């Protein structure tokens, strides 16, 4: 039986090629994902470990928990603690570090790199071992700065150049006195690092006289654990915490591995979808191959082969095919991993240098996935073949599904579909994350149910295309009959395309609906013409609002100033606003009372009021960051949205209790409304600062839309693999169908149907199958998009379902194109059959 199985594999090389390709693509995706994420994780971990070369022990401030009415806070690391750390016997050096956001502009005034990766810090003394100077000298005073060598290379800066930058709003133009090298991971990933002298860094980052961390280097021969023990004795235990550099590196490695885990799982999900789609092709291929060899298998049964041996021979074929596909997929996966590394570099997200990591786990996963998926998909056709009675098989009385089996299949499909719809509908009545798991379960049940019911659905849906197909005469009529001749095969082929289009359509519906909801949210709640914020989401300096007030045409401004406080012993954030203008800049529906902010009168969003049991006129006590208490009165309760919510208090009341006020955003209104000219004027008033964004409501919506578009395009790209596999399935099914119908095609040629008619028949059959799968996919995608939107709508009042008719039309057109392209080779093969040889074929 083993030799027979191998002979069959070699005898049907061309027929199995599509199956090998389908499995190979799925395996390549899996192994490529593992190679890429493992290589990225390894490179980042090695890069991170280099960053701790000058840190044997890190001293960090302890968090002082809130006690009674006192607000929690971090202890301060002072210069005295740095000196005490340097004085312990095992310490060679102690460096106080300061860090913060620093936006650096290129020579055109635009932000260099990603705002979130644009960092600043301090250079310790005249020679800092953490940052070796490649050129120049250490900075002195506010007018001097160092930049990293990678940033200098990208922007074309050199020692002596002036550079525009910003820390918290105002533009600075210091001189570059030196360029340094660094192993900092942010720089390796395309960010920038800017260094000031320590006093300047402390002033700019709002930490005068204090440090974020103390990095202590041990003397030769002193272990990090011994140094840590000395530091714990020398420093106050209620003020600082100590961690060894080894532990920091291990913690960082774990954090990197965890972050890579999310990316890996996301990519593997799409690889799994491709493999799932591939199982339909494998099952189809083996079903058709076995159908063609029914007499052969029956003869084997007649001469003594058992059912188990027949099934085993099919599984051996599947094992060989899976092994070949796994080897090819692993090789292709290594190429995909290398390609993804290069792609990140072209997308301005360069990876740290490092080798491609091909772990034993990757190799094992490739073989396990390739072989197991193929054998599982081939098991059912093999089992079905083994059950055919030898006499019936020899007489070609086989392959027709019994009424009992069809009733059972349709009953199971109906039950699964009904259960899936019921669970999805039940999930839509839940709130937020509570409904995610039930909705996922319902979606899986519904997809399984529709897949099982697809043979039943194929007849009426394909029959609906009959009037159109009649236009093509005999070819159209034959194409319709061929499409429903074997409903199970048609269903399996169409289902492969259905799954990809279900996911793509669902994501498109969700993205369009969310974008419409965000546009509606901005339009309904924000009356301001412009919102001003930092490019990286960090707080703005209050000086920004002062500059804007002095700008021409500005008629009203208000900050959105976050402040931490205690309310009834609970942590809470207050939002400081200009009480005199906030009503002019926003328009929230008022549920109770009046929208009045000023003095001790505040407004509270509906959810916060409900959680504390407040209503209009309620009084409550707040404890500010300086531990001062004040009684406030709720003047009104408003209906918030996801952009603005919380307790709004007048900045005149809040600011006296804030050591360093900082604005998350400044809203403003102008006399002439929003226009390009006004926007340019405002940007110039802020010194054309690349770190500051000036956005109108449309800009804000477009920014969020870009995020959705980026995510959607990534999903489209990842799901393209599943669609490619589905196309291979259509090609494979048609090729097998042509082979099976060789006699029929020869007879059609003999009675007058020309080659053009044969080609048209095969193409129309492919088109009908592809459009059938597309219609099912679009229908399921819209349903799932609506259901997921209901979950979002429970937490977003402005959510509104939007059906992207134009895009769905494009998806349907693409499915038609897929059908036509998939039929090119099978149609050509059918047309070139020799009619006499075809008629004689068995």
């Amino acid at each position: 039986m083993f030799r027979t199985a191998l002979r069959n594999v070699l005898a049907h090389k061309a027929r199995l090629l599509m199956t090998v390709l389908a499995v190979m693509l799925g395996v390549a995706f899996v192994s490529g994902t593992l190679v890429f994420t493992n290589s990225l994780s390894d490179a980042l971990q090695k890069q991170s470990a280099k960053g701790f070369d000058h840190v044997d022990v890190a001293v960090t401030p302890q968090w002082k928990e809130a006690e009674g009415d006192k607000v929690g806070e971090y202890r301060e690391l002072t210069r005295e603690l740095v000196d005490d750390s340097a004085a312990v016997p095992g310490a060679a050096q102690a460096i106080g570090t300061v860090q913060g956001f620093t936006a650096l502009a290129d020579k055109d005034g635009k932000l260099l790199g990603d705002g979130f990766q644009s960092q600043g810090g301090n250079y310790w003394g005249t020679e800092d071992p953490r940052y070796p100077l490649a050129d120049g000298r250490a900075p002195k005073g506010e007018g001097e700065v160092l930049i990293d060598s990678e940033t200098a290379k990208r922007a074309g800066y050199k020692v002596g150049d002036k550079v525009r930058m910003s820390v918290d709003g105002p533009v600075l133009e210091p001189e570059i006195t030196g360029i340094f090298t660094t192993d900092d991971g942010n720089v390796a990933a395309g960010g920038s690092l800017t260094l000031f002298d320590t006093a300047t860094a402390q002033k700019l980052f709002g930490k005068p006289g204090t440090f974020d961390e103390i990095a202590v280097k041990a003397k030769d021969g002193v272990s990090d654990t011994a140094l840590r023990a000395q530091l714990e004795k020398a420093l106050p235990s209620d003020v600082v915490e100590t961690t060894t550099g080894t532990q920091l590196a291990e913690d960082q490695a774990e954090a990197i591995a965890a972050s890579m885990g999310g990316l890996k799982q996301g990519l593997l999900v799409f690889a799994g979808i491709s493999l799932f789609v591939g199982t339909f092709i494998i099952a189809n291929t083996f079903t058709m191959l076995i159908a063609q060899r029914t007499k052969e298998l029956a003869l084997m049964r007649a001469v003594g082969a058992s059912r188990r041996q027949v099934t085993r021979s099919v599984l051996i074929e599947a094992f060989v095919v899976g092994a070949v596909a796994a080897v090819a997929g692993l090789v292709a996966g290594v190429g995909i991993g290398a390609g993804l590394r290069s792609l990140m570099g072209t997308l301005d997200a360069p990876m740290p240098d490092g080798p491609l990591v091909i772990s034993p786990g990757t190799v094992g996963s490739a073989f396990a996935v390739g072989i197991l998926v193929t054998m599982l998909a081939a098991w059912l056709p093999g089992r079905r073949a083994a059950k055919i009675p030898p006499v019936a098989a020899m007489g070609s009385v086989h392959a027709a599904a019994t009424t009992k089996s069809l009733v059972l299949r349709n009953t199971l499909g109906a039950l699964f579909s009904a259960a899936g719809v019921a669970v999805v509908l039940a999930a839509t009545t839940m709130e937020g994350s509570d409904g995610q798991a039930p909705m996922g379960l319902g979606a899986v049940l519904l997809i399984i149910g529709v897949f099982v019911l697809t043979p039943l659905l194929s007849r009426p849906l394909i029959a609906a295309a009959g009037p159109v197909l009649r236009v093509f005469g005999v070819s159209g009529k034959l194409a319709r009959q061929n499409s429903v001749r074997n409903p199970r095969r048609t269903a399996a082929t169409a289902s492969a395309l259905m799954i990809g289009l279900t996911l793509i359509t669902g994501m498109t519906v969700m993205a369009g609906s969310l974008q419409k909801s965000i546009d509606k949210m901005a339009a309904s709640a924000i009356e301001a013409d412009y919102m001003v914020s930092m490019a990286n989401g960090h707080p703005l300096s209050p000086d920004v609002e002062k500059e804007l007030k002095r700008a021409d045409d500005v008629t009203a401004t208000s900050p959105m100033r976050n402040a931490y406080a205690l309310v009834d012993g609970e942590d809470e954030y207050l939002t400081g606003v200009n009480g005199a203008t906030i009503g002019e800049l926003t328009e929230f529906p008022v549920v109770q009372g009046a929208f009045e902010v000023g003095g001790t009168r505040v407004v509270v969003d509906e959810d916060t009021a409900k959680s504390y049991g407040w209503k209009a006129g309620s009084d409550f006590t707040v404890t500010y960051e300086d531990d001062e208490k004040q009684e406030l009165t709720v003047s009104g309760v408003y209906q918030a949205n996801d952009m603005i919510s919380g307790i709004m208090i007048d900045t005149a009341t809040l600011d006296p209790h804030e050591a360093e006020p900082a604005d998350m955003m400044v809203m403003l209104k102008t006399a002439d409304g929003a226009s390009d000219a006004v926007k340019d004027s405002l940007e110039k008033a802020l010194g054309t600062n690349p770190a500051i964004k000036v956005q109108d409501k449309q800009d804000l919506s477009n920014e969020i839309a870009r995020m959705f578009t980026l995510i959607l395009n990534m999903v489209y790209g990842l799901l393209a693999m599943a669609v490619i596999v589905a196309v291979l399935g259509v090609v494979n099914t048609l090729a097998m169908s042509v082979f099976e119908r060789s006699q029929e095609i020869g007879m059609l040629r003999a009675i007058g149907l020309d080659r053009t008619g044969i080609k048209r028949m095969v193409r129309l059959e492919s088109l009908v199958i592809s459009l059938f799968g597309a219609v099912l996919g679009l229908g399921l995608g819209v349903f799932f998009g609506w259901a997921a939107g209901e979950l979002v709508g429970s937490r977003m009042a402005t959510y509104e379902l939007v059906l992207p008719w134009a895009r769905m039309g494009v998806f349907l057109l693409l499915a038609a194109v897929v059908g036509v392209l998939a039929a090119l080779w099978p149609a050509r093969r059918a047309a070139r059959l020799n009619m006499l040889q075809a008629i004689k074929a068995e």
Side-chain angles (χ1 to χ4, degrees):
M1 295 303 294
F2 181 74
R3 289 197 300 271
T4 302
L6 290 180
R7 181 182 61 78
N8 284 327
V9 171
L10 295 175
H12 303 113
K13 295 187 288 290
R15 303 180 205 172
L16 291 170
L17 177 62
M18 295 299 178
T19 303
V20 171
L21 283 173
V23 180
M24 185 199 75
L25 285 172
V27 172
F29 207 155
V30 171
S31 54
T33 294
L34 295 174
V35 168
F36 170 66
T37 53
N38 288 342
S39 299
L40 180 57
S41 179
D42 180 72
L44 288 173
Q45 287 177 17
K46 289 178 179 177
Q47 188 79 42
S48 173
K50 289 180 182 178
F52 296 108
D53 287 347
H54 300 285
V55 183
D56 288 318
V57 178
V59 179
T60 54
Q62 279 198 16
W63 173 256
K64 182 182 178 183
E65 297 291 345
E67 296 178 2
D69 293 331
K70 291 190 175 181
V71 177
E73 62 182 356
Y74 277 106
R75 305 285 192 177
E76 291 186 342
L77 295 182
T78 61
R79 183 59 190 248
E80 288 75 20
L81 288 174
V82 178
D83 295 337
D84 290 344
S85 300
V88 301
Q93 186 181 34
I95 297 175
T97 65
V98 184
Q99 294 179 333
F101 167 69
T102 302
L104 192 66
D106 61 18
K107 290 187 175 181
D108 295 326
K110 296 181 180 179
L111 181 66
L112 271 169
D114 188 342
F116 292 94
Q117 295 174 323
S118 301
Q119 299 296 316
N122 67 310
Y123 190 84
W124 190 257
T126 57
E127 188 175 346
D128 192 327
R130 299 172 298 166
Y131 308 113
L133 286 174
D135 191 15
R137 60 170 177 82
K140 297 177 182 177
E142 297 184 15
E144 298 183 352
V145 73
L146 302 179
I147 64 171
D148 68 88
S149 56
E150 291 298 319
T151 299
K153 187 187 301 181
R154 287 202 309 270
Y157 283 127
K158 60 183 184 298
V159 173
D161 288 346
K162 292 278 188 178
V163 60
R164 292 172 64 83
M165 63 176 59
S166 173
V167 172
D168 60 356
V171 177
L172 307 173
E173 293 194 28
E175 178 184 341
I176 300 173
T177 62
I179 295 172
F180 62 91
T181 59
T182 179
D183 293 321
D184 186 279
N186 280 327
V187 173
S192 63
L193 181 59
T194 310
L195 302 178
F196 308 90
D197 69 75
T198 298
T200 301
Q202 289 174 325
K203 178 182 177 183
L204 290 174
F205 301 137
K207 304 162 186 173
T210 65
F211 301 90
D212 294 313
E213 184 180 291
I214 302 172
V216 187
K217 183 72 175 172
K219 290 180 179 177
D220 292 339
V222 179
S223 67
D224 54 4
T225 54
L227 177 60
R228 181 184 180 187
Q230 294 176 10
L231 288 167
E232 287 178 342
K233 289 180 181 178
L235 302 178
S237 59
D238 62 336
V239 176
V240 302
E241 295 178 344
T242 57
T243 311
T244 63
T246 303
Q247 185 61 50
L248 287 172
E250 291 175 357
D251 292 345
Q252 187 72 15
E254 289 180 7
I256 290 170
S259 65
M260 288 296 102
L263 175 63
K264 184 185 295 185
Q265 288 175 6
L267 291 173
L268 287 176
V269 164
F270 289 98
I273 293 169
S274 296
L275 284 167
F276 183 59
V277 171
T279 58
F280 296 130
I281 301 173
I282 300 165
N284 249 5
T285 301
F286 276 92
T287 298
M288 288 184 281
L289 287 175
I290 289 166
Q292 293 166 14
R293 287 165 34 213
T294 302
K295 287 187 178 181
E296 174 190 328
L297 294 174
L299 182 61
M300 291 172 61
R301 289 287 314 284
V303 298
S306 66
R307 288 183 177 182
R308 184 175 297 177
Q309 285 179 311
V310 171
T311 303
R312 192 182 302 150
S313 71
V314 175
L315 291 179
I316 290 171
E317 291 181 49
F319 176 85
V320 174
V321 171
V324 172
V327 172
L330 179 60
V331 174
V334 173
I336 289 174
L340 287 172
R341 278 172 52 116
S342 302
L343 180 63
M344 286 188 69
T346 61
L347 295 176
D348 295 326
M351 280 180 56
D353 292 331
L356 281 176
V357 177
I358 307 171
S359 66
T362 301
V363 177
S365 298
F367 278 93
V369 167
I371 293 172
L372 287 178
V373 166
T374 309
M375 292 183 70
L376 285 173
W379 175 77
L380 188 60
R383 184 170 175 271
R384 191 182 298 131
K387 285 185 174 182
I388 300 174
V391 175
M394 287 182 181
S396 299
V397 185
H398 61 87
T402 64
T403 303
K404 180 181 177 182
S405 68
L406 290 174
V407 170
L408 178 62
R409 179 182 181 121
N410 294 338
T411 302
L412 286 174
L415 289 174
F416 270 101
S417 298
V421 170
V423 174
V424 169
L425 292 177
T428 60
T429 63
M430 302 178 185
E431 291 191 4
S433 58
D434 293 340
Q436 290 177 3
M439 185 163 291
L441 174 63
V444 171
L445 290 174
L446 180 54
I447 287 177
I448 292 173
V450 171
F451 169 65
V452 174
L453 282 175
T454 306
L456 179 66
L457 297 172
S458 64
R459 290 186 179 276
L461 288 178
I462 291 176
V468 178
L469 292 175
R470 288 196 195 101
V471 175
F472 298 95
V474 174
S475 297
K477 183 179 180 180
L478 290 171
R480 186 184 66 79
Q481 292 175 347
N482 290 333
S483 300
V484 296
R485 176 183 293 184
N486 192 330
R488 290 185 176 183
R489 184 190 303 169
T490 298
T493 306
S495 295
L497 197 59
M498 175 192 79
I499 291 170
L501 281 177
T502 295
L503 295 169
I504 290 173
T505 304
M507 290 293 298
T508 305
V509 170
M510 279 292 297
S513 300
L514 283 170
Q515 182 56 47
K516 176 76 172 180
S517 305
I518 289 162
D519 289 344
K520 190 175 177 182
M521 184 190 301
S524 63
I526 299 175
E527 291 295 310
D529 293 321
Y530 289 99
M531 284 70 69
V532 179
S533 60
M534 292 292 283
N536 68 333
H538 281 211
L540 283 164
S541 166
D543 293 337
V544 172
E545 188 195 7
K546 295 175 183 176
E547 291 292 334
L548 290 169
K549 281 182 177 180
R550 290 194 287 265
D552 295 338
D553 292 336
V554 174
T555 59
T557 66
S558 175
M560 301 295 289
R561 187 168 296 166
N562 283 354
Y564 177 70
L566 287 177
V567 176
D568 292 346
E570 299 288 335
D571 293 341
E572 196 67 66
Y573 276 98
L574 306 177
T575 302
V577 298
N578 185 332
T581 61
I582 189 64
E584 185 180 349
L585 297 166
T586 60
E587 186 177 359
F588 291 100
V590 178
V591 180
Q592 296 178 17
F595 200 90
E596 296 177 2
V597 181
T600 60
R601 296 176 65 78
V602 300
V603 291
V604 184
D605 72 274
E606 200 171 4
D607 290 339
T608 303
K610 184 178 179 181
S611 66
Y612 286 104
W614 297 337
K615 57 185 179 180
S618 296
D619 295 326
F620 65 94
T621 301
V622 62
T623 304
Y624 298 107
E625 286 190 49
D626 61 356
D627 297 329
E628 292 289 327
K629 296 181 181 180
Q630 188 173 29
E631 189 172 276
L632 302 176
T633 301
V634 178
S635 64
V637 178
Y638 67 95
Q639 187 179 6
N641 58 37
D642 289 348
M643 297 178 70
I644 302 174
S645 62
I647 303 171
M648 293 190 195
I649 183 173
D650 199 323
T651 51
T653 305
L654 177 65
D655 287 356
H657 305 285
E658 292 291 297
E660 295 288 340
D663 301 334
M664 295 308 297
M665 179 194 300
V666 176
M667 296 189 292
L668 60 94
K669 215 168 178 47
T670 62
D672 298 329
S675 68
D676 291 340
V678 172
K679 185 175 181 179
D680 290 340
S681 174
L682 293 172
E683 289 177 344
K684 287 177 182 178
L686 296 172
T688 316
N689 191 326
I692 297 180
K693 297 186 295 186
V694 179
Q695 298 175 297
D696 60 21
K697 287 185 282 189
Q698 191 58 51
D699 291 333
L700 192 63
S701 295
N702 290 343
E703 182 178 60
I704 300 171
R706 280 195 296 271
M707 290 171 22
F708 285 128
T709 302
L710 176 62
I711 294 171
L712 198 59
N713 288 339
M714 288 175 61
V715 171
Y716 285 165
L718 293 169
L719 288 175
M721 184 70 73
V723 174
I724 291 171
V725 174
V727 172
L728 290 175
V730 177
V731 175
N732 205 15
T733 298
L734 290 172
M736 291 294 191
S737 179
V738 167
F739 179 83
E740 283 184 349
R741 303 203 310 263
S742 295
Q743 274 191 332
E744 175 188 320
I745 292 171
M747 188 64 70
L748 289 170
R749 290 289 317 283
I751 62 176
L753 189 62
D754 59 12
R755 289 184 174 181
T756 301
I758 295 291
K759 286 182 181 179
R760 186 182 298 121
M761 176 187 72
V762 176
R763 287 171 185 163
L764 288 173
E765 181 182 349
S766 175
L767 183 64
V768 167
I769 292 173
S770 297
L771 288 177
F772 171 52
V775 169
L776 291 179
L778 290 174
L780 285 174
V782 169
F783 177 69
F784 291 140
W786 165 81
E790 290 296 299
L791 273 186
V792 175
S794 67
R795 307 186 70 174
M796 183 184 286
T798 57
Y799 185 83
E800 178 183 338
L801 179 67
V802 175
L803 294 181
W805 295 107
R807 288 206 176 190
M808 289 194 291
V810 171
F811 295 156
L812 203 60
L813 180 62
L814 287 176
V817 172
V818 163
V820 172
L821 293 178
L824 290 178
W825 177 63
R828 185 168 177 269
R829 182 183 176 190
R832 295 181 66 182
L833 283 175
N834 183 292
M835 68 179 75
L836 294 178
Q837 290 180 354
I839 291 172
K840 290 191 299 180
E842 294 187 7

